[in-house]
Amino acid sequence: MAVILMILDGLGGKINTSALSKSKHPNMDSLLKNGTCGLIQIHSDKRVPESEGAHLELFGYSPEIYLKGRGPLEALGAGIKLCNGDIAFRTNFATIDSKGKVLDRRAGRIKSKEAKKLEKEINSIKIKGAEIIFKQTVDHRGVLILRGKGLSHEITNTDPAHPKEGELISNWKNKKYLKSVPIKNSKEAKRTAEIINEFTKKSIEILSKNKMNKSRILPANILLLRGPGYYCPIAPMKERFGIKACCIAGGALYKGCACYVGMDNINVKGATGDEFTDLNAKIKATLKAVKKYDLVFLHIKATDVFGHDKNCKKKIEFIEKIDKAIKPLMKLKNTPIIITGDHATPCSIGEHTSDPVPILIYADEIPNDKIKVFNEKNCAKGELGLIYGKHLMPIITYLLGL
Ligand SMILES: [Zn+2]
């Protein structure tokens, strides 16, 4: 027996106008006819969830304890093996002028083929006190690891659009790249900020000399850093809950969250973490994975993307597409299915909100709500009531008979 946990990123919306309430999803409704529903408030203090904290909360790992920045999760998701004490950042290749003013935060949206060529250059940078490990991931994006003793993640970013974690400066244009400064008065933070500033200086020097860069209108002549995080291994899900789990996702952050809590990542060809993802391939992989695992975490990203774009029409269409794709799951026997989101991204707002998210649980031996349609309004009347994100893992262990 296995439980399938489907997280449709940013699924939730405002109660009467949500994309879920406006879409037709007969397969989800049919699961609900034999199941129960409710609303899930991700964080019990009702703060607005970010995807990484929300996923850790839903996996039973309190983000207050376990979340030490986004960088390490992105790095794990990119397939990098981290060591205890590593400091990891998310990076952007960007373009600056001779005075350090950021002209383009994405270096003209440099493509992977070209950006990959700069990976070696960055990895050749030597700095006393820390090893530099850089991996380009998708187009202008990448991850940077500092490996060494006595390092800290408690420093500011060098990206002027994100001076501090959780802070987005939309009028960053005309701003220079930033010097990193410690946010904690510690020897480690001071030293790490110095290392980062030296790294930035050297990366500008080395990238400016690059031949391919010289031919670009917007050369990738700096690596901007954000999301510093500290990596420390934690007790995996198998140890904590006795659950053997796997992840089927396209986005690096979600693969990283899964890897961090000890899930196996199943790489699916065509799973891209955007609207072009191959949903059928992901469902096919899920059908295979339920034979080997206790918990199959299936992540679908585009619902959140359309919420951020305020594109309600596309969010509705995508929910309908997901609904069609899940049909093969309905033939499974003895396999509870949970469908929920990690937060609300209402199309009317275009940002994450703290609204509770609808949740549907389909299983053989649970009370039936007699609710026919899956949406926020009906979920508010569900037998499950209003639960917190941290309550999900106990439900999963219950469904697995543990
Ligand atoms: Zn999310």
Side-chain angles (χ1 to χ4, degrees):
M1 179 180 183
V3 170
I4 297 170
L5 170 62
M6 275 183 76
I7 297 187
L8 314 185
D9 210 288
L11 173 70
K14 294 291 175 189
I15 206 149
N16 285 319
T17 58
S18 75
L20 183 66
S21 66
K22 288 184 178 171
S23 57
K24 288 196 174 64
H25 35 69
N27 291 325
M28 293 181 198
D29 295 343
S30 148
L31 290 174
L32 181 55
K33 274 173 209 154
N34 296 303
T36 184
C37 65
L39 289 171
I40 183 160
Q41 184 82 52
I42 303 297
H43 302 307
S44 53
D45 63 1
K46 295 192 182 175
R47 68 181 187 277
V48 177
E50 288 299 333
S51 289
E52 59 275 28
H55 277 79
L56 293 180
E57 191 88 81
L58 293 171
F59 296 158
Y61 290 78
S62 166
E64 281 82 5
I65 300 167
Y66 295 100
L67 182 60
K68 310 262 185 234
R70 184 158 163 169
L73 300 173
E74 293 274 356
L76 290 171
I80 295 175
K81 286 210 161 48
L82 294 178
C83 298
N84 196 357
D86 281 356
I87 308 296
F89 302 80
R90 305 169 74 191
T91 70
N92 264 28
F93 277 117
T95 308
I96 52 167
D97 69 8
S98 58
K99 291 191 176 95
K101 192 172 102 177
V102 178
L103 302 175
D104 192 303
R105 268 189 75 244
R106 298 181 181 101
R109 287 194 178 270
I110 186 168
K111 290 283 157 224
S112 287
K113 212 175 147 200
E114 288 200 312
K116 203 75 193 163
K117 290 180 187 159
L118 302 170
E119 200 179 70
K120 227 167 108 190
E121 305 264 29
I122 299 287
N123 278 313
S124 72
I125 295 173
K126 298 269 177 285
I127 289 173
K128 211 180 146 203
E131 187 189 343
I132 301 286
I133 302 156
F134 172 68
K135 184 173 179 181
Q136 180 271 348
T137 53
V138 181
D139 298 342
H140 55 278
R141 299 185 202 97
V143 284
L144 179 85
I145 319 295
L146 290 188
R147 183 166 291 165
K149 280 195 178 124
L151 301 171
S152 164
H153 68 298
E154 290 172 309
I155 59 169
T156 59
N157 299 333
T158 61
D159 186 337
H162 301 267
K164 278 186 197 153
E165 257 336 86
E167 200 177 349
L168 171 68
I169 306 293
S170 45
N171 60 343
W172 57 269
K173 282 199 171 168
N174 299 322
K175 288 218 163 96
K176 285 186 178 182
Y177 73 87
L178 302 169
K179 276 204 159 179
S180 183
V181 292
I183 46 177
K184 203 177 173 187
N185 190 13
S186 72
K187 201 173 75 198
E188 290 80 10
K190 242 184 193 166
R191 214 178 125 242
T192 313
E194 277 166 18
I195 289 174
I196 284 305
N197 293 330
E198 196 189 331
F199 166 79
T200 302
K201 213 174 119 200
K202 286 192 173 168
S203 72
I204 296 170
E205 278 167 23
I206 206 159
L207 291 172
S208 304
K209 284 185 211 147
N210 180 273
K211 223 173 155 190
M212 181 267 297
N213 249 339
K214 281 186 177 163
S215 64
R216 287 183 62 83
I217 299 169
L218 289 166
N221 56 10
I222 188 170
L223 199 64
L224 296 176
L225 312 182
R226 66 185 198 279
Y230 181 92
Y231 177 71
C232 170
I234 59 175
M237 211 169 242
K238 181 90 187 114
E239 205 175 288
R240 243 169 98 88
F241 303 110
I243 290 176
K244 192 179 167 204
C246 72
C247 161
I248 295 168
L253 176 63
Y254 310 95
K255 289 181 174 182
C257 286
C259 178
Y260 184 45
V261 301
M263 292 186 191
D264 290 342
N265 269 304
I266 294 179
N267 291 317
V268 176
K269 204 178 157 216
T272 52
D274 59 21
E275 65 175 301
F276 306 110
T277 196
D278 189 341
L279 290 176
N280 296 328
K282 285 167 97 170
I283 296 294
K284 225 171 154 185
T286 305
L287 289 170
K288 230 169 136 185
V290 290
K291 293 178 191 150
K292 285 207 280 183
Y293 291 90
D294 306 315
L295 175 65
V296 180
F297 157 51
L298 171 60
H299 181 265
I300 297 173
K301 176 68 182 166
T303 31
D304 177 57
V305 177
F306 293 130
H308 281 288
D309 292 347
K310 295 190 173 181
N311 194 335
C312 205
K313 186 173 168 269
K314 282 223 157 180
K315 191 169 175 183
I316 292 169
E317 284 170 9
F318 202 77
I319 291 171
E320 294 180 348
K321 203 172 157 188
I322 295 168
D323 191 72
K324 284 197 183 91
I326 64 168
K327 197 156 190 202
L329 298 182
M330 305 181 59
K331 290 184 200 134
L332 287 169
K333 295 224 158 57
N334 229 347
T335 309
I337 300 173
I338 301 172
I339 303 177
T340 188
D342 57 339
H343 49 77
T345 313
C347 306
S348 52
I349 294 179
E351 282 172 29
H352 298 187
T353 66
S354 59
D355 291 287
V357 184
I359 175 168
L360 170 169
I361 302 177
Y362 159 81
D364 287 340
E365 290 171 16
I366 54 167
N368 185 317
D369 283 355
K370 310 237 168 356
I371 288 175
K372 293 195 177 87
V373 179
F374 181 46
N375 60 38
E376 284 83 353
K377 202 172 180 178
N378 288 342
C379 282
K381 295 179 237 157
E383 275 294 320
L384 200 59
L386 179 73
I387 62 168
Y388 291 139
K390 64 181 174 187
H391 296 143
L392 187 66
M393 271 320 278
I395 292 174
I396 290 171
T397 50
Y398 166 78
L399 290 170
L400 287 168
L402 295 168

